[in-house]
Amino acid sequence: MLTGMKITEAVDGLRQKKFSAEELTKAHVNAINKLNDRINAYITVTADAAIEQAKAADQKLAAGDAPALTGIPLAIKDLFCTKGVKTTAASRILENFVPPYESTVTANLLRDGAVFLGKVNLDEFAMGSGNLNSAFGAVENPWKRQGEDTFLVPGGSSGGSAAAVAAQMAMGATGTDTGGSIRQPAAYCGITGIKPTYGRCSRWGIIAYASSLDQAGPMGKSVEDCAIMLQSMAGFDPKDSTSVDKEVPDYRAACNRSLKGMKVGIPMEYRVPGLSPEIEAVWQQGINWLKEAGCEIVDVSLPHTKHGLATYYIIAPAEASSNLARYDGVRYGRRVDGASLDELYANTRGAGFGDEVKRRILMGTYVLSAGYYDAYYLRAQKVRKLINQDFMNVFDKVDVLLTPTAPTAAFAKGENQEDPVQMYLNDIFTVPASMAGVPGLALPAGLSSQGLPLGLQLLGRPFGEETLFAVGSAMEKAANFTHKPTLRAGGSL
Ligand code: GLN
């Protein structure tokens, strides 16, 4: 089946004329038509435009002038501005926003020939860990627990991206990761994703959540597929002052590097209470695989890990409260009128934002307010520096760290929702790397006893993505994770 292929296979198949880009795109459009009502991964499907892009791709292939992603159908998280195509951030406040420009990352993918199938669902403004906070409804994880018919979440905030790839409604997807939003949904949906080093991909044209943490990255069916996508997405952009002017290496070539002599750190602070024994077992399995591949395993300590979540949930809301001030009903987006300007703001923001976004704005405004700035925001910034220092110290001794991606497998809608903090605990393993700005790759490593994917995470030095691709590829071979999701209520891919 065309939709069952990896990008690496499709790239070859297109060049060998086994099928056309138009056929490949149409197969994915059919999959979307069949499954999207159930999974709700796509907010906007751009089928006609995709077929036009695919026809153009076929011409390029015929002319022998086809860049790496020519004809490859992708899903775009609805946080990337796409010229002429509605971009909502899964919020009512941007429900009808049509950007007049293209984000740098999506422009790079288009330059390299990718076909865009549409815009995929997320937690509103990327705030969440279950894709339950979308104004356009929850996304369903295509995986289910054996012997149960429970609605499981795909993770968040890039839940639509992860579900679309897992359900074969796209060959790959873009995601963004502020505190784990690429890695945690990848883990819950049994796919691979990488959050690159902060500054590796341009943030220009991506709707901002927390600017000092936000990073774009690819989500795909394999490590090599992610390498191909990141190759295109990454690069210096003068329009983003935090994007780094550093050459993009050949990530695909890095996938085949030998691991001989590499040192892999196991951070003791990640053995947290409440870690599922099954995840602990997969972690041990991962350690064994890397030993067999010739790596040396070293126990290491990242002593400030325990402050990661608390400080993240100060800094991220602080930046969000400032970034989201622009949604005032005056310049763009939805407007709800009022008798005065203040009332117009209040009415617009009251109607436009969902509960979690309001909570973050309140938290963020509080920690930035005159009386509390030093006690919360400034202190959190100092702790952030210590977290970063922990990683830099450890990377003097080891090349890469191996940890679980999330403390549990995918949870059910309704679980983890007793209070908002319960949901925040999901990010315990992903947030520290975000705070430090270092890259992290998540990949599926095994199945739980209930038949759900369990993920492992590799963390690397700043701009050490090649090492992550090399180690990730070796682990992927050892794990040989070929399981496919079975949908609820007798559905099938
Ligand atoms: N779950 C985290 C949050 O809600 C991370 C989200 C993200 O990475 N965008 O902030």
Side-chain angles (χ1 to χ4, degrees):
M1 261 209 338
L2 292 180
T3 52
M5 277 186 305
K6 298 189 175 103
I7 292 177
T8 42
E9 295 162 340
V11 163
D12 292 345
L14 285 168
R15 278 162 180 74
Q16 292 157 7
K17 309 250 175 314
K18 288 192 181 148
F19 46 83
S20 67
E22 188 177 344
E23 286 165 335
L24 186 62
T25 289
K26 283 185 170 161
H28 284 88
V29 170
N30 288 341
I32 296 169
N33 290 339
K34 180 176 152 199
L35 292 174
N36 200 48
D37 280 351
R38 165 195 288 263
I39 293 179
N40 200 29
Y42 283 82
I43 293 175
T44 305
V45 180
T46 51
D48 292 343
I51 290 165
E52 285 313 308
Q53 287 172 332
K55 285 181 180 164
D58 280 326
Q59 282 175 2
K60 290 206 143 212
L61 286 157
D65 158 37
L69 286 167
T70 303
I72 302 299
L74 302 178
I76 304 300
K77 186 176 183 178
D78 209 11
L79 200 64
F80 290 81
C81 287
T82 40
K83 190 174 178 182
V85 177
K86 203 168 64 165
T87 299
T88 67
S91 182
R92 289 276 166 233
I93 211 154
L94 289 177
E95 198 168 11
N96 297 311
F97 174 57
V98 178
Y101 52 83
E102 189 76 31
S103 82
T104 298
V105 162
T106 49
N108 289 349
L109 290 166
L110 292 171
R111 172 203 66 205
D112 290 338
V115 169
F116 290 170
L117 295 162
K119 305 297 292 290
V120 280
N121 213 334
L122 63 149
D123 284 297
E124 185 176 2
F125 285 103
M127 297 173 190
S129 309
N131 213 128
L132 296 164
N133 302 333
S134 165
F136 302 99
V139 174
E140 180 171 333
N141 191 325
W143 292 81
K144 69 178 186 79
R145 293 179 184 142
Q146 264 158 27
E148 270 187 36
D149 211 35
T150 315
F151 184 120
L152 300 181
V153 304
S157 67
S158 310
S161 304
V165 174
Q168 303 182 352
M169 299 154 82
M171 301 206 87
T174 62
T176 63
D177 190 311
T178 302
S181 279
I182 287 177
R183 293 162 284 162
Q184 184 254 21
Y188 282 10
C189 291
I191 66 162
T192 301
I194 179 168
K195 177 199 93 76
T197 309
Y198 182 76
R200 183 69 289 188
C201 291
S202 169
R203 290 182 296 108
W204 194 81
I206 301 173
I207 294 174
Y209 164 15
S211 307
S212 78
L213 296 153
D214 297 343
Q215 235 330 267
M219 303 172 75
K221 296 178 186 171
S222 71
V223 174
E224 206 171 347
D225 280 9
C226 288
I228 295 172
M229 282 189 276
L230 184 60
Q231 188 86 44
S232 171
M233 294 163 72
F236 174 61
D237 178 9
K239 288 188 289 206
D240 171 5
S241 59
T242 60
S243 109
V244 176
D245 194 356
K246 211 172 165 31
E247 210 182 312
V248 182
D250 186 343
Y251 292 134
R252 198 172 175 187
C255 295
N256 297 313
R257 283 192 190 165
S258 155
L259 310 190
K260 285 267 172 324
M262 212 175 254
K263 291 198 172 115
V264 180
I266 310 299
M268 57 188 259
E269 289 78 9
Y270 282 59
R271 297 195 189 278
V272 295
L275 180 64
S276 119
E278 291 186 316
I279 292 190
E280 202 159 347
V282 165
W283 193 9
Q284 188 54 50
Q285 179 69 73
I287 293 172
N288 296 343
W289 287 330
L290 290 179
K291 267 189 204 157
E292 281 158 27
C295 298
E296 185 189 333
I297 308 295
V298 185
D299 286 320
V300 296
S301 169
L302 299 163
H304 297 92
T305 299
K306 56 179 176 298
H307 303 301
L309 267 187
T311 45
Y312 171 85
Y313 278 99
I314 290 171
I315 290 172
E319 294 184 17
S321 73
S322 159
N323 273 325
L324 270 58
R326 74 190 72 178
Y327 306 106
D328 55 9
V330 176
R331 284 165 292 187
Y332 43 71
R334 173 183 243 227
R335 172 183 303 177
V336 182
D337 275 322
S340 64
L341 186 60
D342 278 348
E343 219 180 279
L344 175 143
Y345 291 156
N347 290 348
T348 298
R349 290 165 69 82
F353 292 138
D355 288 347
E356 185 61 27
V357 173
K358 287 178 185 160
R359 188 175 299 123
R360 306 281 178 113
I361 293 173
L362 288 172
M363 281 198 286
T365 309
Y366 179 83
V367 300
L368 288 176
S369 59
Y372 297 102
Y373 184 91
D374 289 359
Y376 292 106
Y377 185 71
L378 206 60
R379 214 174 167 78
Q381 290 288 31
K382 289 179 181 165
V383 177
R384 180 178 188 178
K385 184 69 200 168
L386 295 174
I387 292 172
N388 173 273
Q389 210 53 61
D390 280 357
F391 278 99
M392 296 312 125
N393 291 341
V394 154
F395 286 131
D396 280 344
K397 297 183 212 110
V398 299
D399 301 290
V400 67
L401 298 168
L402 177 68
T403 79
T405 309
T408 64
F411 54 87
K413 204 174 166 184
E415 287 171 10
N416 273 332
Q417 282 165 272
E418 294 76 36
D419 65 71
V421 174
Q422 191 74 29
M423 191 66 87
Y424 301 166
L425 293 175
N426 265 288
D427 307 329
I428 186 153
F429 297 143
T430 48
V431 148
S434 301
M435 295 289 271
V438 301
L441 182 142
L443 80 167
L447 282 187
S448 73
S449 58
Q450 291 180 308
L452 297 180
L454 301 174
L456 289 177
Q457 174 179 240
L458 293 163
L459 302 176
R461 295 190 178 106
F463 296 95
E465 283 82 4
E466 289 169 281
T467 305
L468 298 187
F469 285 126
V471 181
S473 296
M475 290 197 48
E476 180 179 65
K477 280 196 197 88
N480 191 24
F481 186 92
T482 52
H483 310 280
K484 294 281 171 287
T486 46
L487 299 163
R488 284 197 305 142
S492 66
L493 293 188

